[in-house]
């Protein structure tokens, strides 16, 4: 398989939408390619007309006066309008008489309880509204006001979705931190957001063990004197200390609130959330999304990409965590307005067995399954017998996200999971784009394994050179978006200059995605990977600088350089070249490697644990002092380097790196 991961260049198998797909779905929002093309053409020619029509399907407390105001790099959508994302996701369904429909299906990781040996909850829109209203009132009772950032650091429990929506309800932007991150990541994000209230759980279930979320928050709070309250949900029953005056239990504070707190009308451009993601420097950046545009874009793209049909028996299961943008957009905000139950699963895909996802699909009659290529590669390795044990015939549409999918994995997914009858939507997008920017539409777009195919409505995607000129077919270039779209980020929290520099500087007048890409003769897009120092590890973004600063922070290492290397399951693995501190230089052994790997895992989180560590006496640098990363990438990949090394300051360095033993 290893040869396949990057061999997307010569794929020419085409999979048209299956002939009986339309009949199976009942309704197709975009029935064929010609319809897609004419809708896309209109959306680019007349974005205001197009998005104005789409937005009419939502509830607005006050209508907008102008659909779009664009002063590069600042977009304002639905200017003057007032709405509420929680209202459109939840209350509106109740008010329209759909309160008894299931909004969220949740399955807990432990599989001891429940009628079928699983802990399952079905939450209707009415129940969800009541709990969200209570949680909103509880947050207010803790002093949260409109505009205050609330930090959410929880496991995949329904109360996380409740807390997200409660924040939206009162106009308090949320900042969700992935539960797999460690204390330092909490400190960085809480400080940057100036957040004073944190919502967490005593712990989270993961592979039969408990992740100590509250303990991590406590450790972080030692460095966060401004945190006033920590609201704690009891999930695992773990014994956790509660700090008097600061910590309060969810079951004490939320349960006693009335359900009367209504949705706060907010301006369309009112901040909805911050979500921290990695960039090319050490500091994660808080991507800002606002209310109206994001709400419209996520719900509409979810409807088109997955062909969602309200209350039609569809059940949608996205395996992402709410700590990532995929969870925000395509578990909560994009799904609930569509009245298709969204399934949240608490635990790991291989607990208690390697067939857990397929068991979930079969038991809940899941129609839509959305996961990452790295997960698919793991499923392949675990073996065909696991999906084969379960009835997967309910599936209609499969999706992938997070990284390019290698054709082998695509074909396996298509055959073994989709039974050859389910279109695969390979959805390309980013934290910054809010929602899908390039993706097939299941009833309309012929798919080619490894290509994310064609742009979403309203997205003027192109592959250009540094001057913004479009590249000819099959020529690599920079992926850009030439016009604003409703789901685009509105800024980086507290760092205007970084916003401009990162996204709007290299190619004049266009949004730079940070990915290399090409278009083929059909106009289909092929993503070729990041052009910056961001790694895509198992579909998660990680800045090389973050891992480097953690290694140096161990005090065992004086200098570190981190690069990506090919990895069969993760897509990209993490390779770290370290210069040990003189006091430890004699201990350059396996033990030291393990110590450093553990240090990074504890410091940032398990996803950042290096796969390979090499010790060296010095790092290869150019005369100007820049680390020669390409050379290190070649070495990490075990390739003979072709790079001109004449600029190496110290040829010995290269020689030593080559000689040094492998982890
Ligand atoms: O490199 C692209 C890759 O993931 C990056 C965005 O990461 P993040 O903001 O964490 O969001 C991931 C989930 C939306 C992109 O710049 N990426 C994402 N989806 C795809 C992809 N690369 C190729 N194909 C995709 N479908």
């Amino acid at each position: 398989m290893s040869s396949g991961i990057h061999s997307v260049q010569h794929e020419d198998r085409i999979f048209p939408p299956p002939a009986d797909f339309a009949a199976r779905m009942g309704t197709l929002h975009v029935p064929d390619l010609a319809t897609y093309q004419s809708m896309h053409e209109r959306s680019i020619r007349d974005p205001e007309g197009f998005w104005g029509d789409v937005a009419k399907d939502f509830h607005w407390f006050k209508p907008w006066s102008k659909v779009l105001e664009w002063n590069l790099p600042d977009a304002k959508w639905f200017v003057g309008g007032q709405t509420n994302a929680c209202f459109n996701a939840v209350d509106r369904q109740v008010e329209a008489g759909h309160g008894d429909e299931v909004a969220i299906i949740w399955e807990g990781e432990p599989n001891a309880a429940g009628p079928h040996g699983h802990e399952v909850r079905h939450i209707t829109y009415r129940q969800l509204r009541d709990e969200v209203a209570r949680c909103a009132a509880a947050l207010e009772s803790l002093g949260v006001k409109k505009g205050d950032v609330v930090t959410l650091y929880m496991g995949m429990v329904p109360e996380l979705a409740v807390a997200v929506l409660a924040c939206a309800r009162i106009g308090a932007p949320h900042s969700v931190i992935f539960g797999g991150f460690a204390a330092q990541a909490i400190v960085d994000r809480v400080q940057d957001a100036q957040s004073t209230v944190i919502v967490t759980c005593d712990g989270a279930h993961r592979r039969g063990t408990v992740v100590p979320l509250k303990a991590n928050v406590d450790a972080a709070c030692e460095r966060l004197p401004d945190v006033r309250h920590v609201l704690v949900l009891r999930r695992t029953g773990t014994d956790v200390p509660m700090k008097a005056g600061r910590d309060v239990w969810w079951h004490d504070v939320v349960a006693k609130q009335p359900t009367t707190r209504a949705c706060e009308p907010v301006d369309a451009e009112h901040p909805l959330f911050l979500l921290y993601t990695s960039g090319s420097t050490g500091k994660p950046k808080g991507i800002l999304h606002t209310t109206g545009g994001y709400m419209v874009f996520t719900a509409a793209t979810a409807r088109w990409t997955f062909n969602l049909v309200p209350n039609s028996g569809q059940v949608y299961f996205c395996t992402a965590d709410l700590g990532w943008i995929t969870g925000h957009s395509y578990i909560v905000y994009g799904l609930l307005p569509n009245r298709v139950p969204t399934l949240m699963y608490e635990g790991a895909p291989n607990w208690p067995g390697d067939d857990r996802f397929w068991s979930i699909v079969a038991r809940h009659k899941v129609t839509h399954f959305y996961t990452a290529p790295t997960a698919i590669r793991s499923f392949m390795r675990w073996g065909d017998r696991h999906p084969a044990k379960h009835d997967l015939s309910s599936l209609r549409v499969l999706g992938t996200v997070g990284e390019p999918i290698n054709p082998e994995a695509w074909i396996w997914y298509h055959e073994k999971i989709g039974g050859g009858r389910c279109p695969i939507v390979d959805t390309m997008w980013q934290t910054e784009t809010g929602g899908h920017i390039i993706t097939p539409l299941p009833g309309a777009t012929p798919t080619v394994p490894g290509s994310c195919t064609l742009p979403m409505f309203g997205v003027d995607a192109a592959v250009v050179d540094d001057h913004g000129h479009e590249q000819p077919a099959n020529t690599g270039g920079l992926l850009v978006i030439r016009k604003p779209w409703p789901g685009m980020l509105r800024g980086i929290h507290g760092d205007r200059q970084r916003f401009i520099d990162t996204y709007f500087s290299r190619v004049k007048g266009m949004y730079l995605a940070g990915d290399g890409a090409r278009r083929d003769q059909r106009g289909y897009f092929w993503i070729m990977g990041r052009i910056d120092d961001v790694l895509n590890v198992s579909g998660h973004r990680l800045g090389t600088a973050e891992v480097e600063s953690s290694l140096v922070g161990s005090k065992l290492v004086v200098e570190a350089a981190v690069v990506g290397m090919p990895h069969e399951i993760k897509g990209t693995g993490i390779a770290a070249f370290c210069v040990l501190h003189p006091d430890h230089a004699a201990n350059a052994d396996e033990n030291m490697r393990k110590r450093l790997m553990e240090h990074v895992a504890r410091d940032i989180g398990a996803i950042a644990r290096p796969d390979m560590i090499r010790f060296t006496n010095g790092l290869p640098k150019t005369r100007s002092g820049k680390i020669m990363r390409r050379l290190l990438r070649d070495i990490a990949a075990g390739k003979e380097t072709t790079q001109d090394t004449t600029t190496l300051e110290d040829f010995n360095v290269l020689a030593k790196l080559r000689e040094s033993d492998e982890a």
Side-chain angles (χ1 to χ4, degrees), residues 146-169:
K146 187 173 177 178
D148 293 346
V149 178
V150 178
T151 298
L152 312 178
Y153 176 71
M154 303 169 77
M156 277 291 282
V157 286
E159 287 80 0
L160 173 52
V162 167
V164 158
L165 292 161
C167 289
R169 193 172 193 86

PDB file of all heavy atoms in Angstrom, residues 146-169:
ATOM      1  N   LYS A 146     -22.849  37.946  26.419  1.00  0.00           N
ATOM      2  CA  LYS A 146     -22.713  37.975  24.964  1.00  0.00           C
ATOM      3  C   LYS A 146     -21.309  38.470  24.598  1.00  0.00           C
ATOM      4  O   LYS A 146     -20.852  39.490  25.135  1.00  0.00           O
ATOM      5  CB  LYS A 146     -23.774  38.943  24.428  1.00  0.00           C
ATOM      6  CG  LYS A 146     -23.904  38.993  22.928  1.00  0.00           C
ATOM      7  CD  LYS A 146     -25.110  39.856  22.578  1.00  0.00           C
ATOM      8  CE  LYS A 146     -25.268  40.030  21.093  1.00  0.00           C
ATOM      9  NZ  LYS A 146     -26.455  40.813  20.759  1.00  0.00           N
ATOM     10  N   GLY A 147     -20.635  37.749  23.730  1.00  0.00           N
ATOM     11  CA  GLY A 147     -19.296  38.163  23.309  1.00  0.00           C
ATOM     12  C   GLY A 147     -18.163  37.515  24.093  1.00  0.00           C
ATOM     13  O   GLY A 147     -17.025  37.509  23.631  1.00  0.00           O
ATOM     14  N   ASP A 148     -18.459  36.946  25.277  1.00  0.00           N
ATOM     15  CA  ASP A 148     -17.401  36.272  26.054  1.00  0.00           C
ATOM     16  C   ASP A 148     -17.086  34.901  25.446  1.00  0.00           C
ATOM     17  O   ASP A 148     -18.007  34.144  25.127  1.00  0.00           O
ATOM     18  CB  ASP A 148     -17.868  36.005  27.502  1.00  0.00           C
ATOM     19  CG  ASP A 148     -18.067  37.290  28.284  1.00  0.00           C
ATOM     20  OD1 ASP A 148     -17.610  38.354  27.817  1.00  0.00           O
ATOM     21  OD2 ASP A 148     -18.679  37.223  29.378  1.00  0.00           O
ATOM     22  N   VAL A 149     -15.803  34.583  25.354  1.00  0.00           N
ATOM     23  CA  VAL A 149     -15.437  33.275  24.801  1.00  0.00           C
ATOM     24  C   VAL A 149     -15.509  32.210  25.896  1.00  0.00           C
ATOM     25  O   VAL A 149     -14.913  32.355  26.962  1.00  0.00           O
ATOM     26  CB  VAL A 149     -14.012  33.302  24.205  1.00  0.00           C
ATOM     27  CG1 VAL A 149     -13.623  31.922  23.670  1.00  0.00           C
ATOM     28  CG2 VAL A 149     -13.906  34.355  23.110  1.00  0.00           C
ATOM     29  N   VAL A 150     -16.248  31.145  25.620  1.00  0.00           N
ATOM     30  CA  VAL A 150     -16.350  30.024  26.564  1.00  0.00           C
ATOM     31  C   VAL A 150     -15.538  28.852  26.001  1.00  0.00           C
ATOM     32  O   VAL A 150     -15.712  28.476  24.839  1.00  0.00           O
ATOM     33  CB  VAL A 150     -17.823  29.589  26.750  1.00  0.00           C
ATOM     34  CG1 VAL A 150     -17.915  28.398  27.698  1.00  0.00           C
ATOM     35  CG2 VAL A 150     -18.662  30.755  27.251  1.00  0.00           C
ATOM     36  N   THR A 151     -14.663  28.290  26.834  1.00  0.00           N
ATOM     37  CA  THR A 151     -13.827  27.177  26.386  1.00  0.00           C
ATOM     38  C   THR A 151     -14.496  25.853  26.736  1.00  0.00           C
ATOM     39  O   THR A 151     -14.940  25.653  27.869  1.00  0.00           O
ATOM     40  CB  THR A 151     -12.449  27.250  27.075  1.00  0.00           C
ATOM     41  OG1 THR A 151     -11.828  28.473  26.667  1.00  0.00           O
ATOM     42  CG2 THR A 151     -11.563  26.084  26.677  1.00  0.00           C
ATOM     43  N   LEU A 152     -14.569  24.962  25.763  1.00  0.00           N
ATOM     44  CA  LEU A 152     -15.190  23.658  25.977  1.00  0.00           C
ATOM     45  C   LEU A 152     -14.135  22.583  25.768  1.00  0.00           C
ATOM     46  O   LEU A 152     -13.539  22.492  24.695  1.00  0.00           O
ATOM     47  CB  LEU A 152     -16.361  23.447  25.007  1.00  0.00           C
ATOM     48  CG  LEU A 152     -17.374  24.592  24.893  1.00  0.00           C
ATOM     49  CD1 LEU A 152     -18.451  24.250  23.864  1.00  0.00           C
ATOM     50  CD2 LEU A 152     -18.023  24.897  26.232  1.00  0.00           C
ATOM     51  N   TYR A 153     -13.878  21.810  26.801  1.00  0.00           N
ATOM     52  CA  TYR A 153     -12.860  20.754  26.729  1.00  0.00           C
ATOM     53  C   TYR A 153     -13.514  19.498  27.284  1.00  0.00           C
ATOM     54  O   TYR A 153     -13.513  19.251  28.482  1.00  0.00           O
ATOM     55  CB  TYR A 153     -11.646  21.190  27.562  1.00  0.00           C
ATOM     56  CG  TYR A 153     -10.537  20.179  27.666  1.00  0.00           C
ATOM     57  CD1 TYR A 153      -9.738  19.879  26.563  1.00  0.00           C
ATOM     58  CD2 TYR A 153     -10.257  19.536  28.870  1.00  0.00           C
ATOM     59  CE1 TYR A 153      -8.694  18.965  26.668  1.00  0.00           C
ATOM     60  CE2 TYR A 153      -9.218  18.626  28.982  1.00  0.00           C
ATOM     61  CZ  TYR A 153      -8.446  18.343  27.878  1.00  0.00           C
ATOM     62  OH  TYR A 153      -7.410  17.441  27.986  1.00  0.00           O
ATOM     63  N   MET A 154     -14.155  18.752  26.411  1.00  0.00           N
ATOM     64  CA  MET A 154     -15.011  17.647  26.847  1.00  0.00           C
ATOM     65  C   MET A 154     -14.807  16.444  25.935  1.00  0.00           C
ATOM     66  O   MET A 154     -14.197  16.545  24.876  1.00  0.00           O
ATOM     67  CB  MET A 154     -16.486  18.081  26.779  1.00  0.00           C
ATOM     68  CG  MET A 154     -16.789  19.322  27.604  1.00  0.00           C
ATOM     69  SD  MET A 154     -18.430  20.031  27.297  1.00  0.00           S
ATOM     70  CE  MET A 154     -19.497  18.921  28.201  1.00  0.00           C
ATOM     71  N   GLY A 155     -15.340  15.325  26.348  1.00  0.00           N
ATOM     72  CA  GLY A 155     -15.347  14.161  25.477  1.00  0.00           C
ATOM     73  C   GLY A 155     -16.520  14.257  24.510  1.00  0.00           C
ATOM     74  O   GLY A 155     -17.269  15.232  24.514  1.00  0.00           O
ATOM     75  N   MET A 156     -16.691  13.204  23.701  1.00  0.00           N
ATOM     76  CA  MET A 156     -17.776  13.199  22.720  1.00  0.00           C
ATOM     77  C   MET A 156     -19.077  12.744  23.382  1.00  0.00           C
ATOM     78  O   MET A 156     -19.568  11.638  23.152  1.00  0.00           O
ATOM     79  CB  MET A 156     -17.411  12.281  21.557  1.00  0.00           C
ATOM     80  CG  MET A 156     -16.534  12.965  20.546  1.00  0.00           C
ATOM     81  SD  MET A 156     -17.416  14.260  19.621  1.00  0.00           S
ATOM     82  CE  MET A 156     -18.328  13.248  18.450  1.00  0.00           C
ATOM     83  N   VAL A 157     -19.621  13.612  24.206  1.00  0.00           N
ATOM     84  CA  VAL A 157     -20.889  13.337  24.874  1.00  0.00           C
ATOM     85  C   VAL A 157     -21.911  14.343  24.342  1.00  0.00           C
ATOM     86  O   VAL A 157     -21.530  15.416  23.866  1.00  0.00           O
ATOM     87  CB  VAL A 157     -20.742  13.464  26.413  1.00  0.00           C
ATOM     88  CG1 VAL A 157     -19.977  12.272  26.968  1.00  0.00           C
ATOM     89  CG2 VAL A 157     -20.034  14.762  26.803  1.00  0.00           C
ATOM     90  N   PRO A 158     -23.193  14.023  24.424  1.00  0.00           N
ATOM     91  CA  PRO A 158     -24.198  14.950  23.889  1.00  0.00           C
ATOM     92  C   PRO A 158     -24.091  16.333  24.527  1.00  0.00           C
ATOM     93  O   PRO A 158     -24.378  17.338  23.882  1.00  0.00           O
ATOM     94  CB  PRO A 158     -25.527  14.292  24.259  1.00  0.00           C
ATOM     95  CG  PRO A 158     -25.219  12.872  24.521  1.00  0.00           C
ATOM     96  CD  PRO A 158     -23.801  12.782  24.948  1.00  0.00           C
ATOM     97  N   GLU A 159     -23.658  16.353  25.793  1.00  0.00           N
ATOM     98  CA  GLU A 159     -23.564  17.646  26.485  1.00  0.00           C
ATOM     99  C   GLU A 159     -22.547  18.573  25.834  1.00  0.00           C
ATOM    100  O   GLU A 159     -22.608  19.787  26.019  1.00  0.00           O
ATOM    101  CB  GLU A 159     -23.228  17.433  27.965  1.00  0.00           C
ATOM    102  CG  GLU A 159     -24.397  16.876  28.781  1.00  0.00           C
ATOM    103  CD  GLU A 159     -24.576  15.366  28.632  1.00  0.00           C
ATOM    104  OE1 GLU A 159     -23.790  14.723  27.892  1.00  0.00           O
ATOM    105  OE2 GLU A 159     -25.512  14.817  29.258  1.00  0.00           O
ATOM    106  N   LEU A 160     -21.605  18.017  25.073  1.00  0.00           N
ATOM    107  CA  LEU A 160     -20.687  18.899  24.341  1.00  0.00           C
ATOM    108  C   LEU A 160     -21.455  19.645  23.242  1.00  0.00           C
ATOM    109  O   LEU A 160     -21.312  20.860  23.074  1.00  0.00           O
ATOM    110  CB  LEU A 160     -19.515  18.094  23.756  1.00  0.00           C
ATOM    111  CG  LEU A 160     -18.564  18.846  22.817  1.00  0.00           C
ATOM    112  CD1 LEU A 160     -18.046  20.143  23.422  1.00  0.00           C
ATOM    113  CD2 LEU A 160     -17.372  17.957  22.431  1.00  0.00           C
ATOM    114  N   ALA A 161     -22.286  18.915  22.513  1.00  0.00           N
ATOM    115  CA  ALA A 161     -23.121  19.576  21.504  1.00  0.00           C
ATOM    116  C   ALA A 161     -24.067  20.571  22.183  1.00  0.00           C
ATOM    117  O   ALA A 161     -24.308  21.680  21.676  1.00  0.00           O
ATOM    118  CB  ALA A 161     -23.919  18.535  20.716  1.00  0.00           C
ATOM    119  N   VAL A 162     -24.583  20.186  23.344  1.00  0.00           N
ATOM    120  CA  VAL A 162     -25.475  21.074  24.100  1.00  0.00           C
ATOM    121  C   VAL A 162     -24.737  22.364  24.469  1.00  0.00           C
ATOM    122  O   VAL A 162     -25.253  23.476  24.290  1.00  0.00           O
ATOM    123  CB  VAL A 162     -25.994  20.360  25.378  1.00  0.00           C
ATOM    124  CG1 VAL A 162     -26.646  21.349  26.338  1.00  0.00           C
ATOM    125  CG2 VAL A 162     -26.974  19.249  25.008  1.00  0.00           C
ATOM    126  N   ALA A 163     -23.506  22.228  24.959  1.00  0.00           N
ATOM    127  CA  ALA A 163     -22.744  23.402  25.378  1.00  0.00           C
ATOM    128  C   ALA A 163     -22.413  24.305  24.186  1.00  0.00           C
ATOM    129  O   ALA A 163     -22.482  25.534  24.282  1.00  0.00           O
ATOM    130  CB  ALA A 163     -21.464  22.967  26.091  1.00  0.00           C
ATOM    131  N   VAL A 164     -22.069  23.679  23.057  1.00  0.00           N
ATOM    132  CA  VAL A 164     -21.797  24.448  21.832  1.00  0.00           C
ATOM    133  C   VAL A 164     -23.015  25.302  21.481  1.00  0.00           C
ATOM    134  O   VAL A 164     -22.935  26.512  21.245  1.00  0.00           O
ATOM    135  CB  VAL A 164     -21.446  23.471  20.672  1.00  0.00           C
ATOM    136  CG1 VAL A 164     -21.666  24.101  19.317  1.00  0.00           C
ATOM    137  CG2 VAL A 164     -20.012  22.966  20.820  1.00  0.00           C
ATOM    138  N   LEU A 165     -24.170  24.640  21.460  1.00  0.00           N
ATOM    139  CA  LEU A 165     -25.396  25.330  21.060  1.00  0.00           C
ATOM    140  C   LEU A 165     -25.827  26.355  22.110  1.00  0.00           C
ATOM    141  O   LEU A 165     -26.394  27.406  21.774  1.00  0.00           O
ATOM    142  CB  LEU A 165     -26.507  24.303  20.818  1.00  0.00           C
ATOM    143  CG  LEU A 165     -26.267  23.401  19.591  1.00  0.00           C
ATOM    144  CD1 LEU A 165     -27.109  22.135  19.669  1.00  0.00           C
ATOM    145  CD2 LEU A 165     -26.551  24.165  18.289  1.00  0.00           C
ATOM    146  N   ALA A 166     -25.546  26.059  23.382  1.00  0.00           N
ATOM    147  CA  ALA A 166     -25.898  27.007  24.451  1.00  0.00           C
ATOM    148  C   ALA A 166     -25.101  28.299  24.281  1.00  0.00           C
ATOM    149  O   ALA A 166     -25.627  29.399  24.489  1.00  0.00           O
ATOM    150  CB  ALA A 166     -25.635  26.389  25.818  1.00  0.00           C
ATOM    151  N   CYS A 167     -23.845  28.155  23.903  1.00  0.00           N
ATOM    152  CA  CYS A 167     -23.029  29.349  23.651  1.00  0.00           C
ATOM    153  C   CYS A 167     -23.630  30.157  22.502  1.00  0.00           C
ATOM    154  O   CYS A 167     -23.795  31.376  22.589  1.00  0.00           O
ATOM    155  CB  CYS A 167     -21.592  28.948  23.311  1.00  0.00           C
ATOM    156  SG  CYS A 167     -20.673  28.310  24.718  1.00  0.00           S
ATOM    157  N   ALA A 168     -23.949  29.444  21.424  1.00  0.00           N
ATOM    158  CA  ALA A 168     -24.543  30.130  20.267  1.00  0.00           C
ATOM    159  C   ALA A 168     -25.852  30.815  20.660  1.00  0.00           C
ATOM    160  O   ALA A 168     -26.176  31.899  20.185  1.00  0.00           O
ATOM    161  CB  ALA A 168     -24.773  29.133  19.137  1.00  0.00           C
ATOM    162  N   ARG A 169     -26.578  30.169  21.544  1.00  0.00           N
ATOM    163  CA  ARG A 169     -27.885  30.692  21.962  1.00  0.00           C
ATOM    164  C   ARG A 169     -27.768  32.073  22.592  1.00  0.00           C
ATOM    165  O   ARG A 169     -28.612  32.932  22.391  1.00  0.00           O
ATOM    166  CB  ARG A 169     -28.497  29.716  22.990  1.00  0.00           C
ATOM    167  CG  ARG A 169     -29.956  29.948  23.285  1.00  0.00           C
ATOM    168  CD  ARG A 169     -30.490  28.811  24.152  1.00  0.00           C
ATOM    169  NE  ARG A 169     -31.932  28.833  24.202  1.00  0.00           N
ATOM    170  CZ  ARG A 169     -32.731  28.256  23.316  1.00  0.00           C
ATOM    171  NH1 ARG A 169     -32.203  27.603  22.307  1.00  0.00           N
ATOM    172  NH2 ARG A 169     -34.039  28.332  23.441  1.00  0.00           N
TER     173      ARG A 169
END
